[in-house]
Amino acid sequence: MKWGPFAAALFWGVTACGVSAGPAEFRSHSHNDYLQPEPLALALANRMGSVEVDVWWVDGELRVGHERNETVPGRTLRTLYLEPLQRHIAATGGVVYPGGGPALVLLVDLKTEAGPTYAAVERELRAYQAMLTSSHDGRTIPGAVTVLISGNVPKAAMAAQRDRPAFVDGRPGDLEGGPSAEVV
């Protein structure tokens, strides 16, 4: 198998939002997945447990890239990840990986200002809510894809939402006095 620039790190069970792969099922993480010639495709072919995408809120688009100067109009969260995931899940009977397993984690790293960038991500995610793990009135509704927001995270704003299509990528500091386990 040719990995090219594909970076995979051991990912020990997805515990986001109460969805757990269990200790016996090890999963891998596709770091900076958008650097692949076909973003998402290799990650899905290799049954990655999580996929990272860095987003920048630029000129009304959630552009993908590690640095701002690497972003290109039209190369967005929607076109590279959300639309392909929706097509893939429709073709595989409502799941990411036939044969079972936990939800795929889509780790969305916000690179620009937390509030406006998350608002744009949330609007985008609402159109794909049927495939997403979400939170409604403090209850987690499992989906084929769980979105974790990382980077510039508006934790307080997300924690205050009654209905949310994404969760917070927790940090060590969140273990003491941070947002609830339903948010992180």
Side-chain angles (χ1 to χ4, degrees):
M1 169 178 7
K2 183 178 178 190
W3 291 88
F6 194 67
L10 190 57
F11 188 79
W12 32 267
V14 182
T15 56
C17 317
V19 179
S20 177
E25 184 174 343
F26 290 95
R27 306 290 302 265
S28 296
H29 172 73
S30 178
H31 182 74
N32 294 342
D33 180 79
Y34 48 84
L35 296 175
Q36 295 302 310
E38 291 183 59
L40 187 63
L42 189 57
L44 292 177
N46 286 287
R47 296 180 64 93
M48 294 287 125
S50 64
V51 174
E52 177 193 0
V53 57
D54 295 334
V55 298
W56 299 78
W57 180 234
V58 179
D59 296 333
E61 288 187 317
L62 289 165
R63 295 185 187 166
V64 172
H66 190 67
E67 300 294 334
R68 163 71 168 87
N69 65 344
E70 296 171 354
T71 66
V72 176
R75 197 170 152 83
T76 66
L77 177 64
R78 179 187 316 144
T79 61
L80 296 180
Y81 292 92
L82 297 175
E83 288 174 355
L85 276 168
Q86 185 177 52
R87 287 191 303 271
H88 175 82
I89 290 166
T92 55
V95 296
V96 175
Y97 300 121
L104 174 74
V105 171
L106 183 61
L107 182 70
V108 179
D109 190 340
L110 308 185
K111 295 296 192 177
T112 44
E113 187 181 347
T117 309
Y118 175 69
V121 168
E122 181 186 12
R123 281 190 304 272
E124 199 91 332
L125 294 177
R126 295 280 181 198
Y128 299 89
Q129 195 141 353
M131 70 178 183
L132 301 177
T133 300
S134 58
S135 174
H136 299 285
D137 291 323
R139 202 179 87 211
T140 300
I141 311 298
V145 177
T146 299
V147 177
L148 295 182
I149 304 298
S150 189
N152 293 326
V153 180
K155 288 181 189 175
M158 289 182 70
Q161 290 181 290
R162 289 184 59 199
D163 294 306
R164 191 175 9 57
F167 300 83
V168 173
D169 176 27
R171 298 287 188 251
D174 293 325
L175 294 174
E176 294 183 30
S180 74
E182 188 274 326
V183 175
V184 176

